[in-house]
Amino acid sequence: MKILFLGDIVSKVGRDIIFTYLDKIKEEEGIDFTVVNGENSAHGKGITHKIYERFKSWGIDAITLGNHAFSKKEIIDHLDECPDLIVPYNYPSGRENRQRVYEINGLRLCVANILGSAFMMENTMSAFEAMEEILYKYDADLYLVDLHAEATAEKILFGHHFSKQLIATLGTHTHVQTADERLIDGMAYISDVGMNGVYDSIIGRDIEEMERAMIKGEKTRFTLGEGPGILCAVVVTVDEQTKRATAIKRLQIRPENVV
Ligand code: FE2
């Protein structure tokens, strides 16, 4: 079994680059199941019902979220119509923090989404406690986790701690792809899958505006970067007999003619 996981999709540029390459990647890699992190897919923050529907029409099976899960408030009214939208288990609002179990090739795959604790939202249950609860509540053969977190040390510790129980711990949120993909005890691990969004940007936002905000302390609005996109993803291979991961392959497509 091969699972494609695409990192944080940021804005229209991120959506477009996925649309451009998705079918080709799925065909070339022989993908059985596709997950994307869609928490920033609507103009850099949140997701809308329309974008969810579009992702589904492209053949995306599950959409994970993060700290910006409900930044576009309209999605809250449509949650019942979006069964494949996975809300972080420890999102601190008391909303329906659902995870999903899918049947693929006769195996039950639990796709889970958890927020990290370090430098993230306040009042979240720890990622470790959240994972223990998910393992208890959701019966499955395989568990894949989108660990939406800032700190690499927290993610690496989580990976080692749960390596024997999961088939994949895939980091998201920093928007910067790390080159530390590896197997730990038959679990695929990467600290961050990376961003699908504008290549020349500050994790998706306009560079000049971020300079004015960070260096000069100016009050700015949320302006997205413009220009060609970068695609970041991983492919996880799972042995269906042993129910363990046997490979993790990092994908990155940068725009041509950009130095
Ligand atoms: Fe995030």
Side-chain angles (χ1 to χ4, degrees), residues 8 37 39-40 65-69 115 120 148-150 172-175:
D8 298 58
N37 182 295
E39 75 139 2
N40 297 308
L65 297 169
N67 52 312
H68 292 143
L115 292 173
M120 295 292 290
H148 197 77
E150 188 76 54
T172 58
H173 179 67
T174 73
H175 297 198

mmCIF file of all heavy atoms in Angstrom, residues 8 37 39-40 65-69 115 120 148-150 172-175, ligand 1:
data_model
loop_
_atom_site.group_PDB
_atom_site.id
_atom_site.type_symbol
_atom_site.label_atom_id
_atom_site.label_comp_id
_atom_site.label_asym_id
_atom_site.label_seq_id
_atom_site.Cartn_x
_atom_site.Cartn_y
_atom_site.Cartn_z
ATOM 1 N N ASP A 8 1.213 21.259 4.134
ATOM 2 C CA ASP A 8 0.314 22.424 4.214
ATOM 3 C C ASP A 8 0.103 23.098 2.851
ATOM 4 O O ASP A 8 1.063 23.583 2.246
ATOM 5 C CB ASP A 8 0.887 23.497 5.151
ATOM 6 C CG ASP A 8 1.047 23.021 6.578
ATOM 7 O OD1 ASP A 8 1.759 22.026 6.805
ATOM 8 O OD2 ASP A 8 0.468 23.664 7.473
ATOM 9 N N ASN A 37 -2.792 18.294 4.013
ATOM 10 C CA ASN A 37 -3.091 19.205 5.114
ATOM 11 C C ASN A 37 -3.668 20.467 4.485
ATOM 12 O O ASN A 37 -2.996 21.167 3.730
ATOM 13 C CB ASN A 37 -1.850 19.533 5.951
ATOM 14 C CG ASN A 37 -2.226 20.437 7.122
ATOM 15 O OD1 ASN A 37 -2.649 21.572 6.919
ATOM 16 N ND2 ASN A 37 -2.129 19.940 8.337
ATOM 17 N N GLU A 39 -5.217 23.144 6.176
ATOM 18 C CA GLU A 39 -5.610 24.183 7.137
ATOM 19 C C GLU A 39 -5.338 25.606 6.663
ATOM 20 O O GLU A 39 -5.882 26.551 7.214
ATOM 21 C CB GLU A 39 -4.938 23.950 8.499
ATOM 22 C CG GLU A 39 -3.476 24.310 8.526
ATOM 23 C CD GLU A 39 -3.062 25.021 9.808
ATOM 24 O OE1 GLU A 39 -3.889 25.204 10.709
ATOM 25 O OE2 GLU A 39 -1.886 25.392 9.889
ATOM 26 N N ASN A 40 -4.469 25.758 5.644
ATOM 27 C CA ASN A 40 -4.190 27.108 5.131
ATOM 28 C C ASN A 40 -4.580 27.239 3.662
ATOM 29 O O ASN A 40 -4.075 28.107 2.961
ATOM 30 C CB ASN A 40 -2.693 27.419 5.269
ATOM 31 C CG ASN A 40 -2.251 27.440 6.713
ATOM 32 O OD1 ASN A 40 -2.839 28.125 7.534
ATOM 33 N ND2 ASN A 40 -1.229 26.677 7.034
ATOM 34 N N LEU A 65 -6.162 19.127 9.321
ATOM 35 C CA LEU A 65 -6.179 20.574 9.594
ATOM 36 C C LEU A 65 -5.076 20.902 10.610
ATOM 37 O O LEU A 65 -4.074 20.246 10.675
ATOM 38 C CB LEU A 65 -7.572 20.982 10.074
ATOM 39 C CG LEU A 65 -8.698 20.777 9.041
ATOM 40 C CD1 LEU A 65 -10.062 20.943 9.692
ATOM 41 C CD2 LEU A 65 -8.542 21.749 7.871
ATOM 42 N N GLY A 66 -5.314 21.963 11.400
ATOM 43 C CA GLY A 66 -4.299 22.380 12.368
ATOM 44 C C GLY A 66 -4.822 23.508 13.224
ATOM 45 O O GLY A 66 -6.040 23.615 13.447
ATOM 46 N N ASN A 67 -3.926 24.372 13.671
ATOM 47 C CA ASN A 67 -4.334 25.471 14.554
ATOM 48 C C ASN A 67 -5.242 26.476 13.848
ATOM 49 O O ASN A 67 -5.957 27.230 14.494
ATOM 50 C CB ASN A 67 -3.102 26.165 15.146
ATOM 51 C CG ASN A 67 -2.099 26.586 14.090
ATOM 52 O OD1 ASN A 67 -1.750 25.802 13.208
ATOM 53 N ND2 ASN A 67 -1.643 27.817 14.163
ATOM 54 N N HIS A 68 -5.204 26.512 12.506
ATOM 55 C CA HIS A 68 -6.081 27.411 11.749
ATOM 56 C C HIS A 68 -7.322 26.686 11.215
ATOM 57 O O HIS A 68 -7.947 27.142 10.259
ATOM 58 C CB HIS A 68 -5.328 28.034 10.567
ATOM 59 C CG HIS A 68 -4.263 28.986 10.990
ATOM 60 N ND1 HIS A 68 -3.056 29.095 10.336
ATOM 61 C CD2 HIS A 68 -4.216 29.876 12.008
ATOM 62 C CE1 HIS A 68 -2.305 30.003 10.937
ATOM 63 N NE2 HIS A 68 -2.987 30.494 11.955
ATOM 64 N N ALA A 69 -7.677 25.580 11.837
ATOM 65 C CA ALA A 69 -8.780 24.745 11.341
ATOM 66 C C ALA A 69 -10.040 25.555 11.049
ATOM 67 O O ALA A 69 -10.703 25.361 10.025
ATOM 68 C CB ALA A 69 -9.096 23.655 12.364
ATOM 69 N N LEU A 115 -2.365 18.335 17.406
ATOM 70 C CA LEU A 115 -1.569 19.556 17.551
ATOM 71 C C LEU A 115 -0.433 19.297 18.539
ATOM 72 O O LEU A 115 -0.627 18.634 19.561
ATOM 73 C CB LEU A 115 -2.429 20.688 18.128
ATOM 74 C CG LEU A 115 -3.548 21.254 17.264
ATOM 75 C CD1 LEU A 115 -4.365 22.243 18.099
ATOM 76 C CD2 LEU A 115 -2.992 21.945 16.027
ATOM 77 N N MET A 120 2.467 26.483 20.407
ATOM 78 C CA MET A 120 1.242 26.349 19.608
ATOM 79 C C MET A 120 0.079 27.018 20.328
ATOM 80 O O MET A 120 0.261 28.047 20.947
ATOM 81 C CB MET A 120 0.970 24.870 19.315
ATOM 82 C CG MET A 120 2.010 24.197 18.433
ATOM 83 S SD MET A 120 2.040 24.799 16.727
ATOM 84 C CE MET A 120 0.513 24.153 16.079
ATOM 85 N N HIS A 148 0.761 18.223 13.783
ATOM 86 C CA HIS A 148 0.826 19.629 13.377
ATOM 87 C C HIS A 148 1.474 20.417 14.513
ATOM 88 O O HIS A 148 0.819 20.790 15.491
ATOM 89 C CB HIS A 148 -0.597 20.127 13.101
ATOM 90 C CG HIS A 148 -0.629 21.392 12.321
ATOM 91 N ND1 HIS A 148 -0.411 21.444 10.969
ATOM 92 C CD2 HIS A 148 -0.825 22.672 12.704
ATOM 93 C CE1 HIS A 148 -0.502 22.683 10.549
ATOM 94 N NE2 HIS A 148 -0.737 23.459 11.593
ATOM 95 N N ALA A 149 2.784 20.647 14.383
ATOM 96 C CA ALA A 149 3.534 21.156 15.530
ATOM 97 C C ALA A 149 4.723 21.995 15.077
ATOM 98 O O ALA A 149 5.218 21.853 13.961
ATOM 99 C CB ALA A 149 4.018 19.980 16.367
ATOM 100 N N GLU A 150 5.166 22.850 15.973
ATOM 101 C CA GLU A 150 6.239 23.800 15.673
ATOM 102 C C GLU A 150 7.634 23.221 15.943
ATOM 103 O O GLU A 150 8.559 23.424 15.171
ATOM 104 C CB GLU A 150 6.033 25.053 16.547
ATOM 105 C CG GLU A 150 6.946 26.209 16.226
ATOM 106 C CD GLU A 150 6.538 26.948 14.965
ATOM 107 O OE1 GLU A 150 5.382 27.364 14.877
ATOM 108 O OE2 GLU A 150 7.377 27.099 14.066
ATOM 109 N N THR A 172 3.692 18.585 10.170
ATOM 110 C CA THR A 172 3.254 19.723 9.349
ATOM 111 C C THR A 172 3.338 20.985 10.210
ATOM 112 O O THR A 172 3.739 20.922 11.361
ATOM 113 C CB THR A 172 1.806 19.548 8.837
ATOM 114 O OG1 THR A 172 0.942 19.390 9.971
ATOM 115 C CG2 THR A 172 1.654 18.349 7.914
ATOM 116 N N HIS A 173 2.978 22.119 9.637
ATOM 117 C CA HIS A 173 2.847 23.420 10.304
ATOM 118 C C HIS A 173 3.993 24.389 10.052
ATOM 119 O O HIS A 173 3.758 25.570 9.892
ATOM 120 C CB HIS A 173 2.636 23.283 11.817
ATOM 121 C CG HIS A 173 2.528 24.596 12.541
ATOM 122 N ND1 HIS A 173 1.469 25.466 12.359
ATOM 123 C CD2 HIS A 173 3.352 25.210 13.444
ATOM 124 C CE1 HIS A 173 1.644 26.539 13.142
ATOM 125 N NE2 HIS A 173 2.776 26.413 13.787
ATOM 126 N N THR A 174 5.260 23.926 9.999
ATOM 127 C CA THR A 174 6.343 24.906 9.823
ATOM 128 C C THR A 174 6.454 25.368 8.374
ATOM 129 O O THR A 174 7.064 26.397 8.093
ATOM 130 C CB THR A 174 7.720 24.352 10.244
ATOM 131 O OG1 THR A 174 8.170 23.417 9.267
ATOM 132 C CG2 THR A 174 7.663 23.700 11.619
ATOM 133 N N HIS A 175 5.878 24.609 7.446
ATOM 134 C CA HIS A 175 5.900 24.926 6.016
ATOM 135 C C HIS A 175 7.289 24.765 5.390
ATOM 136 O O HIS A 175 7.508 25.189 4.263
ATOM 137 C CB HIS A 175 5.387 26.348 5.727
ATOM 138 C CG HIS A 175 3.963 26.569 6.099
ATOM 139 N ND1 HIS A 175 3.216 27.629 5.607
ATOM 140 C CD2 HIS A 175 3.128 25.880 6.907
ATOM 141 C CE1 HIS A 175 1.994 27.582 6.121
ATOM 142 N NE2 HIS A 175 1.932 26.537 6.915
HETATM 143 FE FE FE2 B 1 -0.480 25.583 11.335
#
